[in-house]
Amino acid sequence: MAFRISYLYNKQQKEIGFANDKHHSVYDAIATAEGVDLTEFHRMESQVANVSRNDRKTMKDFREEYFRKLGFSQVTIVREE
């Protein structure tokens, strides 16, 4: 089953294809599509994971807040049938 990601970037609605074998996460896919460098994000994400003992809610909140600061919002996965 194919997936598409719908998101808002700098007040502009966009949609891209998503494949698990090409990207680590949905956020990696949308950052790659927009040409955003995630080196700093991955470093900080690793630190948060170590401190929070991989608590899923903490990690999700960190990701969403970081990408909100980059200008991304309304990130949703759309299933294609």
Side-chain angles (χ1 to χ4, degrees):
M1 182 182 298
F3 296 99
R4 298 202 56 76
I5 304 169
S6 176
Y7 62 96
L8 199 62
Y9 182 63
N10 292 331
K11 299 180 182 178
Q12 192 172 28
Q13 187 67 37
K14 299 189 177 190
E15 191 171 298
I16 61 169
F18 176 72
N20 283 332
D21 61 340
K22 292 183 182 177
H23 303 287
H24 176 68
S25 71
V26 171
Y27 292 101
D28 283 347
I30 61 176
T32 300
E34 298 300 332
V36 176
D37 180 24
L38 292 181
T39 305
E40 182 69 16
F41 167 73
H42 288 299
R43 186 185 63 74
M44 291 183 351
E45 183 182 42
S46 175
Q47 290 177 353
V48 170
N50 289 336
V51 170
S52 69
R53 307 234 186 233
N54 289 323
D55 177 40
R56 287 181 183 252
K57 182 177 180 342
T58 302
M59 295 301 295
K60 180 181 177 185
D61 291 346
F62 169 74
R63 268 187 229 106
E64 288 176 355
E65 183 62 28
Y66 189 88
F67 277 83
R68 192 173 302 120
K69 288 178 183 177
L70 292 177
F72 293 96
S73 62
Q74 300 177 5
V75 179
T76 56
I77 298 175
V78 180
R79 295 181 190 263
E80 293 180 350
E81 296 182 22

